[in-house]
C-alpha cells in the first residue's frame, strides 16, 4: 500500500515540472512587463531599469527559470513584484476565504443534494424524481455568473437581506462572516448540489438493484431501513469521489464568483496577478494550485481504492 | 467647513448642477457642495461634529505607502490625508500654502520656501528645514525614487535657517510649484525613513504630518487611518475618528455597496450609472470636473497615420458630441486639446474639432486614399472603452474608413504603446494641476521609450513646450498653451475625445466634502451626520 | 478510478463524468437510434439544438434588425413590438444580437470540442497503443494540463495569442484535450487486450489497420458520448471567458460578452442580460438532453 502511495507521488513529480515550465513560459510570453504596469504613469526609464535589474528580469529566460526552480526546490517561492511580500504569505492570506467559501458551498450542496438525491432514487420515476432531475439540470446548465447576478439582484439589492460584496472572517465575526459568504456559497453550492445529486441518485439506483436488497425486501425489511442500511453506504463511494475532486478544483477555480462578490480569494489573486504580469506570484500560485489539485486527486484515488477493494488503482 | 465658492465650469456642468440643486431643494435633501451652486435657500450650515468612521470604497488597492516610491494613482488618495505637500491646491486649482507658509522667487532659478512652524510628524518629531531637505535629497537620490523625473529641474536644496529652505534650479521651471502640490512635495518624517526603510511601504505609522494618521493596512481587506489629535491647524477639522479604505474592484458591486449602506464614499461613478444614482435618494452625487483627458494616440512613425491628411480625415469623421452624449452620457465635455476646462490655461475660444464629412473625404483624397482605408485601434478591455470603440467604428464607417478593434488588457496596452506597435491606441491621463503636466512628456520629441507614444517630433511644438517652462507669468504661459492647442489640433498626435467629469458618490450622512479638480479626496473637513 | 472532471472548469462545477473503465459492447446503429428516440426528453433537446443551429445559419434572414446598427437616441429601450427584447446601451436590437450570437456560441462550443477531440484522441491513441515511453510522456503532459487552473490557462493563452475568437477556441480546446486523451487511452487499453485484436495481430495485421478497424469504431461510442456532453460545457466556458472580458472583438458579440456588457445596466435594463442569458441557458439545457440521450443509448452502464 505504501509502495503504491510513494509510487504515485513519484509519478507526480514530472507532472509538476511540466506545470512549472508551462506556467513560466506562458506568463513570460504574454505581452507586457510588470514594472510598466506598476509604474504606468511614470516615464522614468532609469528607475524602471534599476527595478528590473534588481528583480533579475533582464537576464535570459532560461537562466531566470533555472534560478526560480532552484529556489522552489528549496521551498522559496519568491516574492510578489507588486507588493514585495513572499508569495507564500500572499497565498496564505487569500486561502482562508477560498477555503471557507469552498467549505460552506460544500455544506450547502450536501444539505440540498442528499435529501433530493435519496428521495429521487427511492421514488424513482415519480414526480418527485422528475422535480429532482429538473433541479439538477438547472444547476448544471445555469451559467454560474448569471446565477450570481440574479442572486445579487434579488437578495442583495432588492430585498437587502445579505451583503453583496466584501468579506468578513466567520472565525472572527461569525454572523457577519457567514452573511458575507452566504450568496457566493449558494452560487457555488447549487451547482455543486446538482452534480452530487445526480451522482448520488445513479449510484443509489445501482446499489438498489443489487441482490441483497431484493433479499432484504423479500424478508420484509422496511424500505427506509433498506436504504439507510447498506445501500446508502455503498452509494456514497462515488459521491465522496466526486466531492473530493470538486474540492480540488474549487479552490483555484472559483474565480468568477470571487470577482463578482469581491471576495479576496486565491482565484482572484492569481487572475489579478496575470493581469499585472506579476511573474513570481502567477508562477507560485499556479504551482501551488496544481499541487493541491494533484494531492486531492491522489487522496481520493487512495480512499477509493481502500474503501472498495474491488477496484484497485493500476 | 463646506466651501461656498461658486465654480466656473463649462456650461453643461453648471446647468446640471443647478438642476440637481433644485431637485435637492424640492426633495428636502441637504446637498454637499456642488460646482456651480450656492446655498440657495439661505440655511445656516449645520455645525460639524466629531466622530464616526468613514468607509471608502476604491476600485483597487494602494500599492505602497511611500510617496517617493509611488507610481500609481490610487496611492495618492490615501497620501493626501496622511501626508502634506509644501503647496496645496484650492478648489479652483489655485496654489495655496501647505507646509510652506510662503514662497518667493528672487530669480527664475531660485525658490525660497518659508516653512510652517509648530508642525510635528505623527511620530512626534519636528518638521523643519532639515527634514524638508532630507526629503528632497531622498527623492533625488534614492535609486527607486519615482519622483526624480518630476524634480529634474532641481539642482540642489539648501537650508537657509531652521524654517527656510532654498531650491536651486538648473533651469527655470514654471511648473514646479504645481508639481509640489502632489507627491513630489510631500514631507515624510526622516526618522521614520531612517528607522523603517523599506517597511515604510507597508506601514506608514508616524510618517506624515496630515490630519489623519496611519493605523494599519491589512492587504485585500482594509487600510485604516485615524484622526491626528495633534494636527497643527486648530481651525476646522479633522472631525472623523477613522477612515477605512476598502478595495472593491467591481464597479457594479461598489455602487451597490454604497446604495445598501455598506460603504459611505465611492471614488467614481460610471457614466452609465450616474443618472440612476442621482435619482436614488440614498445617495448624493458630486460632480467633480477633473484634470483628466481621454484620447487616442495616433502613431506618427508608421502607416497609415504617418500621413497627416489621413489623421485629419479621421478627426473630421468623428462626432465628438455624439460620443460624449451617447457613450459618456454627458458626464464630461468634448475636448479641444489636452488641457481641461478646469485649468487656467484652458482656452474656451478654441472649439473642439467638429464633424465634417465633406472635409473628411477631401482629406482622404489628399492623403492618397480617396476610397477610404482601414486601420486597427488598440483599446482597453473595459465596457466604456468597448462602447466608445463601437460608436467610433460606426462613425468612421460613414466616411468610408474601416476601423478594426483590438481589445487588450492594460499590461498589453502599455507594452504596445511603449513599443509603438499600434496604429491608434486609447490613452487616459489622470491629469496634473499644471498644464505642463498634461503636455510636455507627451508632445516633446523623445527618442526611446517615453510617454510620447505617437512619436511626434515637431520643432515648433518643442519650442513652445520649453518656453512655457521658462516663462514665469501665467498670462504669457496661457498664450503659449493656446498656441500649443492649435498646433496639436493641426498635427494630431492624439485624437482628443473628452474631459471626463469624475462624479463621486456619498451617503447622505457625509457632510463637508470640498471637491478639488485633481480628483483627490481630502477628508479633513468631512464629518458624519 | 482517477476520474476526470474537466466537464467545464470555468463553470466552477465540473460535472463528474466517470471515465468508463470498460467499453460498451458494439451496438448496431438502429438499436442506438431507437433507444435515443425513446428517451423522454431527447426530442425536446433535439428541437432546441436544431432551432439554435437554424438560428445561427439563417441569422441574416431571421434577425429582425441589423445587430450592429446603433441608435443612441433609443438606447436602453424596453421590450416592445419593434424590439421584442428591447435595445442595449447603444440602441442595438437585443433580439437580433442574441440570434447572431448563436453563431459564435455554437461555433465556439463545437469547434473547440472538435479540436480537443481530434488532438486528444490522437494523443490517447498514441499513448494507449504504443505504450511505454510515449504513454508515460503523453499522460504526464495531460496530467499537467489538467492540474493547471483552467481559467488562468485560458486567460494567459488569450493574452499570448491575442484577443479574439481564435484565441478562445484554442484555449478551450487545450483545456478539453486531456479529457479526450484519457478517454481514448482507456478505450484503447481495454480493447487492445481483446481476443479479436490478438487474433488480428497474430494474423499479421499492421498497427494502423488494427487501430482503424477495431479500436476506433469501438472507442467511438464513448468518445461521442463525451463530446456530446462537452459541447454544452464548452459553450458555457466560452460565455464565462467572454464575461471576464476575453474573446470576441466588437462589434460582434457572444452571449457571454453581452451579459458582461449588460451587467452594469442590470437594474435599469435587465433585458440586456436576460435575453442572452435565457438563450444560453436554454441552448445548454437542450444540448444536455441530447447528450444524455446519446449516453443512455450508447452506454448501457449509465442507464438508470
Amino acid at each position: 500500500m505504501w509502495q503504491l502511495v510513494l509510487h504515485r507521488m513519484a509519478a507526480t513529480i514530472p507532472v509538476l515540472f511540466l506545470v512549472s515550465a508551462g506556467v513560466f513560459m506562458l506568463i513570460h510570453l504574454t505581452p507586457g512587463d510588470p514594472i510598466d504596469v506598476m509604474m504606468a504613469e511614470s516615464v522614468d526609464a532609469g528607475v524602471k531599469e534599476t527595478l528590473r535589474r534588481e528583480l533579475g528580469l533582464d537576464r535570459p529566460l532560461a537562466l531566470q527559470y533555472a534560478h526560480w526552480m532552484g529556489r522552489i526546490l528549496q521551498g522559496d517561492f519568491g516574492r510578489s513584484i507588486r507588493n514585495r511580500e513572499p508569495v507564500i504569505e500572499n497565498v496564505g492570506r487569500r486561502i482562508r476565504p477560498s477555503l471557507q467559501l469552498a467549505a460552506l458551498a460544500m455544506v450547502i450542496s450536501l444539505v440540498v443534494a442528499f435529501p433530493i438525491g435519496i428521495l429521487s432514487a427511492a421514488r424513482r420515476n415519480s414526480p418527485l424524481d422528475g422535480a429532482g432531475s429538473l433541479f439538477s439540470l438547472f444547476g448544471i446548465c445555469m451559467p454560474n455568473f448569471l446565477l450570481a447576478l440574479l442572486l445579487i439582484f434579488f437578495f442583495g439589492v432588492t430585498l437587502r437581506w445579505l451583503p453583496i460584496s466584501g468579506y468578513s472572517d466567520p472565525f472572527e465575526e461569525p454572523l457577519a462572516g457567514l452573511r458575507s459568504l452566504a450568496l457566493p456559497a449558494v452560487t457555488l453550492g447549487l451547482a455543486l448540489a446538482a452534480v452530487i445529486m445526480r451522482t448520488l441518485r445513479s449510484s443509489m439506483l445501482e446499489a438498489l438493484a443489487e441482490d441483497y436488497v431484493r433479499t432484504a425486501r423479500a424478508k420484509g425489511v422496511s424500505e427506509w431501513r433498506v436504504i439507510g442500511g447498506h445501500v446508502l453506504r455503498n452509494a456514497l463511494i462515488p459521491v465522496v469521489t466526486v466531492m473530493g475532486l470538486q474540492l480540488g478544483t474549487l479552490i483555484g477555480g472559483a474565480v468568477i464568483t470571487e470577482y463578482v462578490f469581491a471576495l479576496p480569494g486565491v482565484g482572484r489573486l492569481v487572475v489579478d496577478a496575470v493581469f499585472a504580469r506579476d511573474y513570481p506570484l502567477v508562477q507560485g500560485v499556479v504551482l501551488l494550485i496544481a499541487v493541491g489539485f494533484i494531492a486531492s486527486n491522489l487522496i481520493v484515488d487512495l480512499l477509493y481504492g481502500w474503501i472498495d477493494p474491488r477496484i484497485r488503482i493500476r | 467647513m463646506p466651501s461656498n465658492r461658486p465654480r466656473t465650469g463649462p456650461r453643461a456642468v453648471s446647468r446640471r448642477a443647478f438642476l440637481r440643486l433644485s431637485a435637492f431643494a424640492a426633495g428636502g435633501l441637504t446637498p454637499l457642495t456642488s460646482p456651480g451652486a450656492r446655498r440657495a435657500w439661505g440655511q445656516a450650515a449645520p455645525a460639524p461634529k466629531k466622530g464616526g468612521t468613514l468607509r471608502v470604497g476604491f476600485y483597487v488597492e494602494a500599492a505602497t505607502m511611500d510617496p517617493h516610491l509611488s507610481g500609481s494613482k490610487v496611492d495618492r488618495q490615501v497620501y493626501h490625508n496622511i501626508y502634506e505637500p509644501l503647496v496645496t491646491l484650492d478648489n479652483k486649482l489655485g496654489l495655496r500654502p501647505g507646509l510652506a507658509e510662503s514662497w518667493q522667487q528672487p530669480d527664475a532659478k531660485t525658490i525660497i520656501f518659508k516653512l510652517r512652524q509648530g508642525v510635528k510628524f505623527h511620530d512626534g518629531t519636528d518638521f523643519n528645514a532639515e527634514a524638508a531637505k532630507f526629503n528632497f535629497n531622498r527623492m533625488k537620490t534614492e535609486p527607486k525614487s519615482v519622483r526624480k523625473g518630476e524634480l529634474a529641474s532641481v539642482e540642489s536644496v539648501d537650508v537657509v535657517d531652521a524654517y527656510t529652505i532654498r531650491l536651486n534650479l538648473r533651469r527655470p521651471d514654471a511648473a514646479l510649484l504645481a508639481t509640489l502640490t502632489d507627491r513630489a512635495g510631500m514631507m515624510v518624517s526622516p526618522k521614520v525613513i531612517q528607522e523603517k526603510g523599506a517597511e515604510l511601504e507597508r506601514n506608514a505609522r508616524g510618517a506624515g504630518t496630515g490630519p489623519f494618521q496611519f493605523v494599519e493596512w491589512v492587504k485585500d481587506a482594509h487600510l485604516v487611518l485615524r484622526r491626528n489629535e495633534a494636527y497643527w491647524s486648530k481651525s476646522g477639522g479633522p472631525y472623523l475618528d477613522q477612515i477605512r479604505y476598502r478595495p472593491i474592484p467591481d464597479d457594479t458591486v461598489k455602487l451597490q455597496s454604497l446604495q445598501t449602506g455598506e460603504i459611505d464614499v465611492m471614488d467614481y461613478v460610471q457614466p452609465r450609472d450616474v443618472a440612476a444614482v442621482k435619482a436614488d435618494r440614498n445617495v448624493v452625487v458630486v460632480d467633480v470636473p477633473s484634470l483628466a483627458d481621454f484620447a487616442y494616440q495616433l502613431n506618427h512613425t508608421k502607416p497609415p497615420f504617418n500621413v497627416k491628411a489621413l489623421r485629419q480625415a479621421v478627426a473630421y469623421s468623428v462626432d465628438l458630441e455624439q460620443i460624449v452624449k451617447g457613450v459618456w452620457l454627458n458626464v464630461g465635455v468634448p475636448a479641444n486639446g489636452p488641457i481641461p476646462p478646469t485649468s487656467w490655461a484652458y482656452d474656451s475660444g478654441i472649439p473642439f474639432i467638429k464633424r465634417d464629412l465633406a472635409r473628411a473625404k477631401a482629406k482622404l483624397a489628399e492623403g492618397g486614399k480617396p476610397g477610404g482605408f482601414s486601420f486597427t485601434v488598440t483599446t482597453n478591455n473595459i465596457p466604456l472603452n468597448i462602447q466608445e470603440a463601437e460608436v467610433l467604428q460606426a462613425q468612421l464607417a460613414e466616411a468610408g474608413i474601416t476601423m478594426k478593434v483590438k481589445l487588450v488588457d492594460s499590461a498589453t496596452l502599455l507594452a504596445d504603446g511603449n513599443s509603438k506597435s499600434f496604429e491608434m491606441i486609447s490613452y487616459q491621463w489622470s491629469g496634473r494641476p499644471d498644464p505642463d503636466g498634461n503636455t510636455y512628456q507627451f508632445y516633446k520629441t523623445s527618442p526611446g521609450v517615453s510617454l510620447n507614444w505617437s512619436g511626434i517630433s515637431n520643432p515648433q511644438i518643442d519650442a513652445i513646450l520649453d518656453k512655457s517652462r521658462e516663462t514665469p507669468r501665467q498670462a504669457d504661459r496661457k498664450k503659449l498653451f493656446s498656441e500649443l492647442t492649435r498646433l496639436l489640433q493641426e498635427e494630431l498626435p492624439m485624437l482628443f475625445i473628452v474631459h471626463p467629469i469624475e462624479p463621486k458618490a456619498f451617503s447622505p450622512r457625509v457632510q463637508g466634502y470640498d471637491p478639488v479638480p485633481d480628483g483627490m479626496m481630502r477628508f479633513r473637513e468631512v464629518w458624519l451626520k | 478510478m482517477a476520474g476526470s472532471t474537466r466537464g467545464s472548469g470555468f463553470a466552477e462545477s465540473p460535472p463528474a463524468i466517470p471515465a468508463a473503465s470498460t467499453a460498451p459492447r458494439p451496438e448496431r446503429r438502429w438499436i442506438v437510434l431507437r433507444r435515443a428516440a425513446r428517451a423522454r426528453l431527447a426530442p425536446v433537446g433535439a428541437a432546441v439544438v436544431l432551432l439554435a443551429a437554424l438560428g445561427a445559419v439563417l441569422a441574416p434572414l431571421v434577425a429582425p434588425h441589423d445587430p450592429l446598427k446603433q441608435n443612441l437616441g433609443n438606447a436602453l429601450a424596453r421590450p416592445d413590438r419593434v424590439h421584442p427584447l428591447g435595445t442595449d446601451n447603444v440602441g442595438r436590437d437585443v433580439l437580433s444580437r442574441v440570434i447572431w450570437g448563436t453563431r459564435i456560441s455554437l461555433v465556439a462550443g463545437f469547434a473547440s470540442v472538435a479540436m480537443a477531440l481530434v488532438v486528444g484522441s490522437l494523443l490517447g491513441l498514441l499513448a494507449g497503443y504504443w505504450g511505454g515511453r510515449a504513454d508515460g510522456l503523453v499522460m504526464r503532459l495531460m496530467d499537467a494540463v489538467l492540474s493547471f487552473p483552467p481559467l488562468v490557462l485560458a486567460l494567459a493563452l488569450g493574452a499570448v495569442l491575442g484577443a479574439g475568437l481564435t484565441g478562445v477556441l484554442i484555449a478551450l480546446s487545450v483545456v478539453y484535450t486531456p479529457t479526450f486523451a484519457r478517454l481514448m487511452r482507456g478505450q484503447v487499453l481495454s480493447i487492445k487486450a481483446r481476443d479479436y485484436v490478438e487474433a488480428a495481430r497474430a494474423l499479421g495485421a499492421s498497427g494502423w489497420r488494427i487501430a482503424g478497424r477495431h479500436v476506433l469504431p469501438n472507442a467511438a461510442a464513448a468518445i461521442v458520448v463525451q463530446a456530446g456532453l462537452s459541447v454544452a460545457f464548452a459553450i458555457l466556458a466560452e460565455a464565462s471567458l467572454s464575461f471576464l472580458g476575453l474573446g470576441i472583438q466588437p462589434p460582434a458579440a457572444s452571449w457571454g460578452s453581452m451579459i458582461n456588457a449588460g451587467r452594469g445596466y442590470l437594474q435599469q435594463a435587465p433585458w440586456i442580460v436576460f435575453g442572452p442569458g435565457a438563450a444560453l441557458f436554454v441552448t445548454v439545457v437542450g444540448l444536455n438532453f441530447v447528450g444524455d440521450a446519446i449516453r443512455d443509448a450508447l452506454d448501457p452502464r449509465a442507464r438508470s
Side-chain angles (χ1 to χ4, degrees):
Chain A
M1 172 69 169
W2 286 114
Q3 279 181 335
L4 199 65
V5 175
L6 283 170
H7 182 72
R8 278 297 294 266
M9 280 176 66
T12 64
I13 295 190
V15 176
L16 287 173
F17 259 108
L18 282 171
V19 172
S20 75
V23 68
F24 183 89
M25 222 177 50
L26 200 56
I27 192 66
H28 278 86
L29 278 176
T30 54
D33 165 284
I35 307 294
D36 281 333
V37 173
M38 252 176 29
M39 305 192 6
E41 292 205 334
S42 156
V43 73
D44 203 327
V47 176
K48 288 187 183 177
E49 282 316 309
T50 310
L51 276 172
R52 284 197 189 102
R53 223 173 310 123
E54 203 178 277
L55 294 167
L57 293 176
D58 55 339
R59 280 146 63 206
L61 280 183
L63 222 68
Q64 288 188 47
Y65 176 68
H67 191 67
W68 175 63
M69 273 314 288
R71 291 211 307 265
I72 293 273
L73 290 173
Q74 296 172 33
D76 176 10
F77 275 73
R79 288 174 177 267
S80 153
I81 291 181
R82 273 177 310 160
N83 62 24
R84 323 286 164 83
E85 287 179 12
V87 169
I88 300 277
E89 243 179 68
N90 271 290
V91 174
R93 246 205 328 263
R94 303 275 220 162
I95 199 90
R96 258 189 148 194
S98 286
L99 281 174
Q100 288 167 349
L101 179 62
L104 201 57
M106 277 288 181
V107 166
I108 291 179
S109 67
L110 291 176
V111 162
V112 170
F114 262 70
I116 300 184
I118 295 176
L119 282 173
S120 289
R123 302 261 178 278
R124 183 185 168 171
N125 290 330
S126 70
L128 196 64
D129 187 12
S133 296
L134 220 66
F135 164 76
S136 92
L137 192 76
F138 187 91
I140 293 180
C141 295
M142 182 59 141
N144 95 320
F145 53 88
L146 199 57
L147 183 60
L149 288 180
L150 287 173
L151 285 176
I152 287 183
F153 190 63
F154 284 118
F155 292 100
V157 180
T158 309
L159 293 173
R160 304 229 168 147
W161 286 351
L162 293 165
I164 51 160
S165 79
Y167 164 75
S168 304
D169 192 338
F171 287 115
E172 287 173 18
E173 303 167 49
L175 193 62
L178 282 174
R179 288 182 76 227
S180 73
L181 288 174
L183 287 179
V186 168
T187 307
L188 287 175
L190 282 182
L192 221 57
V195 176
I196 292 178
M197 188 233 112
R198 267 201 176 184
T199 316
L200 184 60
R201 179 179 179 275
S202 70
S203 69
M204 277 202 64
L205 287 175
E206 261 194 47
L208 280 172
E210 296 280 330
D211 289 340
Y212 67 82
V213 171
R214 254 188 307 157
T215 316
R217 281 198 190 124
K219 285 207 301 199
V221 180
S222 84
E223 189 70 10
W224 288 111
R225 279 199 66 188
V226 169
I227 289 178
H230 286 282
V231 175
L232 195 56
R233 223 175 303 149
N234 290 332
L236 278 181
I237 297 165
V239 176
V240 168
T241 311
V242 168
M243 279 172 50
L245 295 169
Q246 301 289 32
L247 192 64
T249 53
L250 210 54
I251 307 281
V255 173
I256 294 179
T257 310
E258 288 178 15
Y259 243 108
V260 176
F261 290 103
L263 295 173
V266 173
R268 231 183 73 192
L269 174 70
V270 71
V271 169
D272 283 342
V274 169
F275 283 135
R277 308 291 190 262
D278 194 340
Y279 301 140
L281 197 56
V282 175
Q283 291 158 202
V285 176
V286 167
L287 206 53
L288 286 171
I289 292 179
V291 168
F293 179 77
I294 291 176
S296 71
N297 268 5
L298 186 61
I299 292 175
V300 166
D301 277 350
L302 291 174
L303 222 63
Y304 199 83
W306 175 63
I307 290 177
D308 188 351
R310 291 178 292 163
I311 298 171
R312 280 281 173 202
I313 308 142
R314 272 183 293 118
Chain B
M1 248 162 316
S3 155
N4 294 342
R5 272 169 288 181
R7 304 253 26 217
T8 48
R11 264 193 338 130
V13 175
S14 25
R15 193 181 341 127
R16 186 147 35 89
F18 172 69
L19 284 174
R20 189 164 38 82
L21 197 61
S22 321
F24 278 146
L29 290 172
T30 314
L32 302 177
T33 315
S34 45
R38 295 174 197 266
R39 285 200 179 268
W41 55 90
Q43 281 175 328
K49 61 177 178 117
K50 285 197 175 181
T53 299
L54 189 71
R55 299 158 301 166
V56 186
F58 277 136
Y59 66 101
V60 84
E61 214 173 24
T64 170
M65 283 293 108
D66 186 337
H68 301 163
L69 306 183
S70 156
S72 87
K73 178 181 171 185
V74 83
D75 297 344
R76 296 159 62 202
Q77 295 281 5
V78 181
Y79 297 167
H80 279 284
N81 289 297
I82 57 179
Y83 299 110
E84 295 181 298
L86 290 180
V87 184
T88 59
L89 292 171
D90 64 22
N91 60 9
K92 288 176 73 183
L93 294 181
L95 298 173
R96 289 272 173 273
L99 284 182
E101 247 174 12
S102 65
W103 52 87
Q104 301 166 291
Q105 282 196 271
D107 61 70
K109 296 212 273 189
T110 313
I111 311 182
I112 300 183
F113 286 102
K114 273 206 157 15
L115 305 176
R116 205 173 287 273
Q117 304 191 19
V119 178
K120 283 191 191 293
F121 288 104
H122 299 145
D123 63 357
T125 57
D126 285 323
F127 168 65
N128 51 28
E130 287 295 341
K133 176 174 172 175
F134 181 93
N135 270 278
F136 277 109
N137 282 344
R138 182 173 189 251
M139 285 190 257
K140 290 187 70 61
T141 58
E142 165 71 37
K144 293 197 279 195
S145 159
V146 180
R147 310 269 81 81
K148 280 189 206 147
E150 294 168 23
L151 294 176
S153 58
V154 176
E155 174 87 56
S156 63
V157 177
D158 299 324
V159 171
V160 173
D161 63 46
Y163 289 98
T164 313
I165 56 168
R166 178 173 60 230
L167 263 60
N168 306 310
L169 309 179
R170 56 170 65 97
R171 55 171 168 78
D173 188 352
L176 184 62
L177 281 173
T179 308
L180 292 177
T181 62
D182 199 73
R183 289 172 289 201
M186 285 185 184
M187 297 289 124
V188 184
S189 159
K191 179 163 170 238
V192 166
I193 292 176
Q194 281 159 336
E195 287 180 4
K196 282 206 184 145
E199 204 205 318
L200 176 59
E201 295 211 63
R202 292 189 305 281
N203 175 355
R205 244 175 256 142
T209 60
F212 295 93
Q213 33 181 322
F214 180 91
V215 173
E216 67 165 4
W217 180 11
V218 178
K219 295 263 172 97
D220 302 325
H222 54 242
L223 196 160
V224 181
L225 310 179
R226 75 175 156 86
R227 181 170 62 233
N228 176 10
E229 305 290 357
Y231 188 55
W232 56 262
S233 167
K234 297 307 171 194
S235 71
Y239 304 110
L240 297 165
D241 282 341
Q242 262 197 5
I243 306 178
R244 254 177 119 88
Y245 293 92
R246 237 179 76 184
I248 304 179
D250 189 281
D251 271 323
T252 316
V253 172
K254 194 169 54 170
L255 178 61
Q256 287 165 339
S257 299
L258 181 67
Q259 288 172 315
T260 55
E262 284 170 38
I263 57 174
D264 303 305
V265 180
M266 206 170 109
D267 63 329
Y268 180 63
V269 181
Q270 289 280 345
R272 62 167 183 246
D273 295 323
V274 168
V277 172
K278 285 186 175 177
D280 184 340
R281 293 173 128 250
N282 291 323
V283 176
V284 176
V285 178
V286 176
D287 285 331
V288 183
S290 70
L291 295 170
D293 65 70
F294 189 105
Y296 291 90
Q297 302 219 34
L298 297 164
N299 193 339
H300 288 215
T301 65
K302 55 184 207 181
F305 293 124
N306 53 351
V307 176
K308 181 157 103 177
L310 293 182
R311 301 197 294 263
Q312 291 172 323
V314 171
Y316 285 125
S317 311
V318 174
D319 186 345
L320 288 181
E321 281 167 308
Q322 195 190 41
I323 291 183
V324 172
K325 188 168 134 206
V327 177
W328 291 84
L329 303 177
N330 286 329
V331 183
V333 290
N336 67 357
I339 297 169
T342 43
S343 169
W344 52 261
Y346 180 71
D347 190 341
S348 49
I350 304 179
F352 58 86
I353 301 180
K354 296 246 178 16
R355 189 180 213 215
D356 189 333
L357 281 179
R359 274 178 103 176
K361 296 226 162 79
K363 285 292 171 186
L364 278 176
E366 191 186 311
K369 304 264 186 204
F373 66 101
S374 84
F375 70 94
T376 305
V377 68
T378 308
T379 186
N380 232 321
N381 207 338
I382 56 184
L384 197 65
N385 289 40
I386 297 174
Q387 201 183 338
E388 192 178 86
E390 292 180 324
V391 174
L392 272 175
Q393 227 174 11
Q395 290 176 349
L396 289 175
E398 287 175 36
I401 304 175
T402 309
M403 180 177 93
K404 290 185 280 237
V405 179
K406 178 176 148 185
L407 294 181
V408 295
D409 63 14
S410 338
T412 313
L413 190 88
L414 286 169
D416 282 353
N418 282 329
S419 61
K420 297 195 171 42
S421 16
F422 63 92
E423 288 163 10
M424 182 161 111
I425 193 167
S426 78
Y427 195 72
Q428 262 170 303
W429 179 243
S430 57
R432 297 287 180 269
D434 190 283
D436 181 273
N438 275 23
T439 54
Y440 195 92
Q441 52 199 345
F442 300 105
Y443 310 121
K444 180 87 201 284
T445 303
S446 321
V449 175
S450 69
L451 286 178
N452 182 348
W453 285 359
S454 64
I456 185 174
S457 176
N458 181 307
Q460 254 186 308
I461 292 180
D462 285 351
I464 295 182
L465 287 171
D466 283 325
K467 193 146 169 241
S468 76
R469 284 188 160 181
E470 294 161 13
T471 314
R473 272 183 24 131
Q474 207 174 70
D476 296 331
R477 292 182 77 207
K478 181 163 175 172
K479 287 205 198 81
L480 286 170
F481 282 112
S482 295
E483 204 189 317
L484 178 69
T485 305
R486 281 199 191 86
L487 271 173
L488 291 176
Q489 280 195 354
E490 171 76 24
E491 293 298 320
L492 293 170
M494 298 193 191
L495 207 62
F496 300 102
I497 306 289
V498 63
H499 290 297
I501 291 174
E502 294 180 0
K504 304 194 185 305
F506 302 86
S507 117
R509 294 169 62 215
V510 178
Q511 306 289 309
Y513 177 67
D514 185 16
V516 179
D518 66 352
M520 294 296 115
M521 307 190 81
R522 299 170 175 82
F523 293 122
R524 184 182 152 207
E525 302 297 343
V526 168
W527 55 281
L528 291 171
K529 241 191 346 192
Chain C
M1 175 194 79
S4 147
T5 58
R6 265 315 181 264
S8 160
F10 311 137
E12 294 174 8
S13 62
I17 302 170
S21 47
T22 61
R25 297 213 159 62
E27 300 271 18
R28 285 221 283 239
R29 254 178 250 155
W30 64 278
I31 300 181
V32 165
L33 281 174
R34 224 175 54 183
R35 281 223 188 87
R38 255 194 260 139
R40 259 176 309 154
L41 297 163
V44 176
V48 167
V49 176
L50 204 63
L51 203 69
L54 278 176
V57 169
L58 299 175
L61 299 172
V62 175
H65 300 266
D66 179 354
L68 302 181
K69 179 112 199 320
Q70 298 173 7
N71 183 358
L72 290 169
N74 193 27
L76 303 177
R78 304 196 87 91
D80 57 24
R81 281 271 192 81
V82 182
H83 299 283
L85 283 179
T87 64
D88 69 3
N89 51 342
V90 285
R92 295 174 293 206
D93 178 42
V94 174
L95 179 61
S96 305
R97 283 172 75 74
V98 167
I99 294 176
W100 278 83
T102 316
R103 286 194 170 183
I104 305 220
S105 298
L106 288 184
V107 164
F110 281 100
S112 57
V113 169
M115 283 200 280
L117 192 155
V118 168
V119 176
S121 302
L122 274 170
L123 286 174
L125 201 63
L126 219 99
Y129 203 76
W130 271 275
R133 279 271 187 83
D135 183 13
L137 183 65
V138 169
M139 280 302 114
R140 295 289 89 78
L141 200 61
M142 294 297 103
D143 281 344
V145 174
L146 273 179
S147 316
F148 213 103
L151 207 64
V152 178
L153 184 60
L155 271 180
L157 273 174
V160 172
L161 299 168
L165 190 55
T166 330
V168 169
L169 287 180
I170 296 182
L172 285 179
S173 51
V174 168
V175 170
Y176 287 123
T177 298
T179 312
F180 289 101
R182 279 193 168 190
L183 194 59
M184 182 56 116
R185 176 181 178 269
Q187 297 292 309
V188 169
L189 285 177
S190 67
I191 293 170
K192 217 166 69 164
R194 297 264 172 86
D195 294 334
Y196 55 87
V197 173
E198 293 284 350
R201 231 188 290 181
L203 287 173
S206 83
W208 283 116
R209 197 176 155 81
I210 296 181
R213 225 150 189 262
H214 297 281
V215 175
L216 278 181
N218 290 323
I223 297 278
V224 167
V225 167
Q226 180 64 49
L229 294 168
S230 294
V231 170
F233 294 106
I235 292 184
L236 271 181
E238 183 276 324
S240 303
L241 286 178
S242 297
F243 180 76
L244 281 183
L246 268 191
I248 311 305
Q249 301 298 291
S254 82
W255 292 333
S257 69
M258 277 192 254
I259 296 177
N260 186 26
R263 185 154 81 98
Y265 301 94
L266 193 57
Q267 273 178 283
Q268 319 161 10
W271 47 88
I272 306 183
V273 167
F274 293 141
L280 183 62
F281 180 60
V282 166
T283 308
V284 171
V285 166
L287 280 167
N288 249 290
F289 284 162
V290 173
D292 278 352
I294 296 179
R295 184 182 58 191
D296 287 349
L298 290 181
D299 186 359
R301 258 176 55 97
R303 254 182 296 137
S304 43

